[in-house]
Amino acid sequence: MKNGIYIIATPIGNLGDISARAIETLNAADIIACEDTRVTKKLFSLLGLDMHKTFIKLEDHNEEQQAEKIIELINSGKTVAQVSDAGSPLISDPGYKLVRKCREAGIKIFTIPGACALICALQLSGLPTNNFMFAGFIPNKEKARKDFLMQYKNLNTTLVFYETALRIQKTLSAAGEIFQNRDMAVARELTKVYEECIAGSASELLEHFEKNPPKGEMVFMVGPLKENAPKEINLEEILKEKMVSASLKDAVKQTAEEYNLNKNDVYKKALELKNGQ
Ligand code: SAM
């Protein structure tokens, strides 16, 4: 086994999803860096892996200090494997600061890929996957949730969020207002017995969860903007910006073409701006 750090994905529900490379590497590593030693030791026991090694905690709040310790251990010849409680480390889980520090220290980093909830959810959703944005966890407080979702309102791509059963209904209500007619999907219990992915509008999904109270871990997805959806644009701001470097006539022409707007309406607005109204 080459000296360095191994970033290893573990199952998100179905133990059978552990890879042969993950098993081999977890068995061979001297040290296991994990979020919760109890969770990882349980996984080792379920998979029948060699428990005779050092387990150290790596969490968001102690990642920088633990990274220094891990680098010293690797430099002294030990091999370290990093796992999270479930799924792919670093994806809404600790690890990127450790990886950055290892890179700075010239340590070799290896990836042992496997289950990742956002990828499984996208695969089931039927939403476009050629282009997507993963935005992690949605804040819990009402205003923070709305502000957070608003940032992505005009982004024309599939949006992917991590969510919990407790909050999904509040999120769907807010998303219905913000993303309006866009397609949505919720994937839950991925790779487990009750795995499902429900697709529909925000109100259809809300109706579903009123009849079937939400349970388990969830991924919430919003499809790209619809072709026929009215684009919300700030015409005044756009024109002001363009009129700094272009004539009024050119600014009107460019804006009307770019945003598919009526040229006369844009011209009227440009004249108002020019005359300081
Ligand atoms: N790093 C993990 C990954 O991407 O594979 C995710 C860790 S994050 C702390 C936990 C969140 O991932 C959950 O709240 C849920 O949104 C999502 N998740 C994890 N396992 C899942 C599952 N089996 N089904 C649906 N969502 C899951």
Side-chain angles (χ1 to χ4, degrees):
M1 190 179 191
K2 286 188 191 147
N3 181 261
I5 182 147
Y6 293 77
I7 310 296
I8 306 184
T10 56
I12 56 169
N14 188 325
L15 272 189
D17 293 335
I18 191 83
S19 73
R21 266 182 90 207
I23 291 183
E24 191 187 324
T25 315
L26 288 170
N27 267 332
D30 301 303
I31 290 145
I32 309 294
C34 53
E35 286 179 270
D36 183 335
T37 52
R38 283 164 308 177
V39 172
T40 302
K41 280 182 181 169
K42 187 169 169 211
L43 179 75
F44 266 61
S45 150
L46 289 170
L47 292 169
L49 300 179
D50 178 6
M51 310 271 285
H52 297 98
K53 46 192 78 220
T54 310
F55 290 81
I56 58 175
K57 261 180 177 271
L58 182 87
E59 296 169 295
D60 278 333
H61 70 92
N62 72 0
E63 198 174 331
E64 305 250 1
Q65 297 116 276
Q66 292 297 74
E68 301 293 340
K69 215 190 235 174
I70 289 168
I71 288 168
E72 271 175 36
L73 288 163
I74 296 171
N75 284 335
S76 72
K78 304 282 186 203
T79 50
V80 178
Q82 193 229 333
V83 294
S84 47
D85 282 352
S88 295
L90 282 82
I91 311 300
S92 287
D93 268 338
Y96 91 87
K97 291 180 205 144
L98 169 66
V99 168
R100 193 172 53 193
K101 284 202 173 281
C102 285
R103 291 178 65 88
E104 284 164 9
I107 282 168
K108 271 227 153 237
I109 304 149
F110 304 90
T111 174
I112 315 268
C116 178
L118 79 100
I119 300 297
C120 298
L122 279 169
Q123 286 166 337
L124 300 184
S125 70
L127 296 172
T129 51
N130 53 330
N131 181 304
F132 65 86
M133 156 97 201
F134 172 60
F137 278 103
I138 300 171
N140 190 17
K141 298 240 166 76
E142 196 176 327
K143 178 161 186 320
R145 178 190 295 117
K146 276 200 176 156
D147 291 348
F148 180 79
L149 294 176
M150 276 300 285
Q151 300 175 83
Y152 305 107
K153 183 179 160 84
N154 293 319
L155 206 57
N156 191 11
T157 189
T158 297
L159 308 170
V160 188
F161 306 93
Y162 280 166
E163 218 1 313
T164 64
L166 274 179
R167 307 178 188 176
I168 189 72
Q169 284 158 298
K170 286 185 182 160
T171 288
L172 282 168
S173 302
E177 278 173 35
I178 295 166
F179 302 114
Q180 301 198 350
N181 67 342
R182 289 166 74 168
D183 295 327
M184 297 185 195
V186 175
R188 57 179 283 275
E189 298 282 89
L190 290 160
T191 77
K192 302 183 192 175
V193 180
Y194 296 107
E195 170 181 283
E196 65 176 353
C197 182
I198 314 126
S201 64
S203 53
E204 283 164 347
L205 293 174
L206 272 169
E207 205 181 308
H208 171 89
F209 287 120
E210 266 150 35
K211 288 189 196 137
N212 312 277
K215 282 191 200 127
E217 298 191 277
M218 302 195 159
V219 181
F220 172 52
M221 293 158 282
V222 179
L225 291 166
K226 293 241 170 115
E227 297 267 296
N228 56 358
K231 258 195 199 153
E232 228 177 73
I233 56 160
N234 188 334
L235 184 57
E236 203 171 306
E237 285 302 313
I238 295 166
L239 279 171
K240 268 188 198 161
E241 208 173 287
K242 289 204 188 289
M243 281 159 66
V244 173
S245 53
S247 67
L248 182 140
K249 201 175 141 209
D250 286 343
V252 169
K253 187 170 179 280
Q254 286 168 17
T255 309
E257 281 172 4
E258 225 169 279
Y259 296 91
N260 199 18
L261 299 172
N262 180 301
K263 216 168 159 185
N264 289 337
D265 293 344
V266 181
Y267 185 68
K268 206 171 133 205
K269 187 75 186 168
L271 273 183
E272 277 173 23
L273 283 175
K274 194 177 167 213
N275 298 330
Q277 285 166 12

